Amino acid sequence: MSARNTLRAMPTLLKVGFAESVAYRAEMLIWVLSTTMPLVNMVLWMAVARSAPVGRFGQADFVGYFLATFAVRQLTSSWAAWLINWEVRQGTLSMRLLRPISPLWAYAAENIAGFPMRLLVAVPVTVLAVVLVGSRAVPQHAWQWAFFVLAVLGGWAISFLANVTIGALSFFLGSSQKVMEVWLVLYFVCSGYMYPVELLPSGLRTVINWLPFRYQIGLPVELMTSAHEWREALALLGAQWAWVAVLFVLSVGVWKQGVKRFAAFGG
């Protein structure tokens, strides 16, 4: 299908995806409840900072950081790897391949269509952060809001494309869920999800800056809490979208090579 026809099909795909996210709202609520680790970390780091700030973080700063982490996690997550694994193993991917549009567009539309439901969680948490911390819990200037939106989109793109790449490995491995588990461990350690990356030693922070994990969630959170001046923020955004480009090429390449082997798994 041409790019023009794909764009014409996207509204329908988004409507179907939104209907599915509404129909499975109970599952979404369970998923939200399973992502409350930032709230646990918030309480722990508040206890650590009770007697003295940790770096530039006092108790209020940790509240703002981890509430932002919880909200951003809702907006940047993707589950495509698990879906691709399941459909490859069951052979149901063949139904998607028969349609006149790439399954990758369908997976992306299903993820994007869930954004309104995710906002129902992220917005109240952001309002709570403003109530508890004040206006510094959100960007202070128009450029900071623009950079934050770009960072959220980039974070979601990295999550989705990494999911597609790892999911497509199931064409070669039978199942790539263990690979996804390794990715998630690195994500928890390196992304800023468990603690602010800037609290790590400088050498380790330099290594993390070359990896994609920080740009999934840490960078959007840092921009939401106004942690960077615009020059530094622009450089970090450039690094984030460079990873988006790399993962786009990698995911499409692995997917196309994997689909050629799909006959071996078709049910």
Side-chain angles (χ1 to χ4, degrees):
M1 176 176 272
S2 66
R4 181 180 179 182
N5 289 334
T6 299
L7 289 175
R8 292 177 62 184
M10 285 303 286
T12 301
L13 292 173
L14 291 172
K15 288 179 182 176
V16 172
F18 180 71
E20 288 181 349
S21 65
V22 172
Y24 294 104
R25 55 189 179 278
E27 285 81 354
M28 179 185 168
L29 177 61
I30 293 173
W31 177 77
V32 169
L33 294 176
S34 71
T35 61
T36 54
M37 182 58 73
L39 305 183
V40 176
N41 290 330
M42 179 180 71
V43 175
L44 293 176
W45 282 98
M46 285 176 64
V48 173
R50 182 176 301 160
S51 56
V54 181
R56 67 176 179 86
F57 289 88
Q59 285 187 310
D61 299 306
F62 279 122
V63 171
Y65 181 89
F66 284 111
L67 287 180
T69 301
F70 183 80
V72 170
R73 175 76 192 279
Q74 312 308 316
L75 302 176
T76 59
S77 296
S78 173
W79 54 87
W82 287 274
L83 188 57
I84 295 171
N85 262 281
W86 189 86
E87 292 188 349
V88 170
R89 290 172 62 85
Q90 298 297 318
T92 54
L93 181 64
S94 58
M95 297 300 294
R96 289 186 186 267
L97 294 173
L98 291 174
R99 298 171 184 167
I101 186 171
S102 169
L104 298 184
W105 286 110
Y107 293 133
E110 290 170 9
N111 267 229
I112 294 171
F115 266 53
M117 297 296 288
R118 301 186 197 192
L119 285 172
L120 290 178
V121 177
V123 171
V125 172
T126 303
V127 172
L128 177 63
V130 173
V131 171
L132 295 177
V133 181
S135 60
R136 59 179 170 156
V138 293
Q140 302 295 300
H141 306 288
W143 70 266
Q144 290 176 325
W145 276 108
F147 280 20
F148 168 67
V149 172
L150 283 174
V152 169
L153 292 175
W156 173 82
I158 289 175
S159 296
F160 175 73
L161 294 171
N163 265 256
V164 169
T165 304
I166 295 172
L169 291 177
S170 61
F171 289 116
F172 306 93
L173 304 175
S175 172
S176 59
Q177 290 191 1
K178 294 300 181 184
V179 180
M180 193 64 206
E181 290 175 7
V182 172
W183 173 277
L184 285 176
V185 169
L186 293 172
Y187 166 80
F188 288 136
V189 173
C190 302
S191 68
Y193 185 69
M194 305 292 288
Y195 38 75
V197 171
E198 65 184 88
L199 296 182
L200 295 173
S202 60
L204 183 56
R205 194 166 61 243
T206 301
V207 173
I208 288 176
N209 286 341
W210 284 95
L211 300 175
F213 307 104
R214 178 187 181 186
Y215 305 108
Q216 285 183 266
I217 194 167
L219 178 60
V221 170
E222 292 161 15
L223 293 179
M224 185 172 180
T225 54
S226 305
H228 303 294
E229 297 296 330
W230 77 272
R231 286 183 183 276
E232 186 180 10
L234 188 62
L236 290 168
L237 274 177
Q240 182 193 47
W241 282 91
W243 267 112
V244 172
V246 169
L247 287 170
F248 176 79
V249 173
L250 183 63
S251 61
V252 172
V254 175
W255 174 266
K256 287 184 175 179
Q257 292 301 316
V259 167
K260 295 178 182 178
R261 301 167 56 92
F262 180 61
F265 296 88

